[in-house]
Amino acid sequence: MADSENQVDQTTVDRLPSDDDYPATDGHAVRVLDKALLGGEPQRVGRFEYRYDSGAWTWSDTVARMHGYEPGEFEPTTELILSHKHPDDLARVKSLLQQSVAPFSSRHRIRTTTGEIRKVVVVGDPVNDADGRIVATRGFYIDITESSNADLQQSISDELQVIVSHREVIDQAKGMLMAIYQLGADAAFAVLKWRSQELNVKLSTVAEKLVAELPDLLNAHPAMRAPIDHYLLTLTPPKTSNDP
C-alpha cells in the first residue's frame, strides 16, 4: 500500500462525514482501500494511530473492544498492545513498529482480556508532517475471527495478495536502484516515490515499468555484463588495470 492515492491528507479524509449508503470504519468515511477490504458489518473494523515521535497510540472504540476493553477503560501503550499479541506472532508484529516509509499489512492473532484468541488483519499507512518527515503510521484493524461470509474472506485475501505483489515489485525496483546508484533502501524508495508524484501515476506502476524495462537497457551492451558474470562465478571482483 504506497501508491499516489494514499498521498491524500488523511486528516481531511478522516473528518469527512460518513454516508449511510457506504460501509464506514468507526464513523469515518471509507477510503478506496477500506472499501476493498470491507464486506461485512462496520463494527468489524476499527482505526488506530501510532506516533513514532512520542510513542503514543490512539485506538478507536472498536479496536478497544476487539481486545476486550470498554472504550476509554485503558490508554493503549506499546507494552499493552504487545501483551495482547499471540506469542507465536509477537516477533513479527514487533518488527512492524519500526519506522518505515512504506505501508504495511499483517495478518496475526491477538489474545483478549478473557484469553480468547481472535484473528485480525492490520493495515497501516505512513503519516507525514508538514516537512515531509514520517512521524506516525495510521490504519485499521479488521476482525476476521468469526467471518461466515466467504466473499469477505476472499476479498480480504485478494486485496492482501495485491498489496504483497505490489510490495514485491517495489522491493525489486528498489534493489535495482540500490545496486545501480549505490543507494540505501530509503533513498531508493524516495526515488520511486518522486517519479510517481512527478508522473502522477501509482508508485507500483513506476516500479513495474522499471523492473520490466531496465534489464533490457542494462543488456544493451553484453560486454558491460562481463565483470558481473566473472563475479558470480568466482565471488571475487575482477582485477582492474590499477590492481598490482
Side-chain angles (χ1 to χ4, degrees), residues 43-69:
Q43 62 266 28
R44 301 174 68 89
V45 182
R47 294 271 180 185
F48 78 94
E49 179 173 292
Y50 172 57
R51 302 286 304 188
Y52 296 124
D53 47 3
S54 65
W57 287 86
T58 302
W59 270 358
S60 69
D61 293 350
T62 300
V63 177
R65 291 192 176 100
M66 283 183 195
H67 289 77
Y69 299 106

Side-chain angles (χ1 to χ4, degrees), residues 10 13-14 16-19 22-38 42 45 47 140:
Q10 187 61 41
V13 173
D14 282 347
L16 289 174
S18 297
D19 187 329
Y22 299 93
T25 60
D26 293 319
H28 295 300
V30 186
R31 298 176 306 153
V32 173
L33 184 57
D34 299 335
K35 291 178 182 178
L37 286 169
L38 290 173
V45 182
R47 294 271 180 185
F140 49 91

Side-chain angles (χ1 to χ4, degrees), residues 174-175 177-179 181-191:
K174 280 169 50 181
L177 294 177
M178 290 166 67
Y181 294 108
Q182 298 183 353
L183 300 173
D186 287 351
F189 184 83
V191 171

Side-chain angles (χ1 to χ4, degrees), residues 51-178:
R51 302 286 304 188
Y52 296 124
D53 47 3
S54 65
W57 287 86
T58 302
W59 270 358
S60 69
D61 293 350
T62 300
V63 177
R65 291 192 176 100
M66 283 183 195
H67 289 77
Y69 299 106
E70 287 301 313
E73 181 179 357
F74 278 98
E75 193 74 24
T77 64
T78 298
E79 182 180 7
L80 177 69
I81 289 168
L82 292 179
S83 73
H84 282 283
K85 304 305 179 184
H86 190 284
D88 293 342
D89 299 336
L90 183 58
R92 178 162 50 86
V93 174
K94 277 185 176 180
S95 68
L96 298 177
L97 297 180
Q98 299 177 5
Q99 185 168 340
S100 173
V101 297
F104 75 88
S105 65
S106 172
R107 184 189 295 257
H108 60 267
R109 293 160 291 180
I110 60 174
R111 187 167 47 193
T112 70
T113 56
T114 62
E116 179 186 6
I117 301 299
R118 305 195 68 80
K119 297 177 182 178
V120 297
V121 171
V122 181
V123 181
D125 281 326
V127 178
N128 299 78
D129 65 10
D131 297 323
R133 293 172 298 192
I134 304 295
V135 294
T137 184
R138 178 188 292 133
F140 49 91
Y141 277 70
I142 309 169
D143 186 348
I144 60 171
T145 306
E146 298 171 350
S147 176
S148 59
N149 186 333
D151 291 338
L152 171 60
Q153 288 281 14
Q154 188 61 49
S155 66
I156 291 173
S157 297
D158 289 348
E159 181 60 25
L160 288 179
Q161 185 58 47
V162 171
I163 292 170
V164 170
S165 64
H166 283 179
R167 184 64 179 267
E168 287 177 350
V169 75
I170 289 170
D171 284 343
Q172 281 184 277
K174 280 169 50 181
M176 290 180 173
L177 294 177
M178 290 166 67

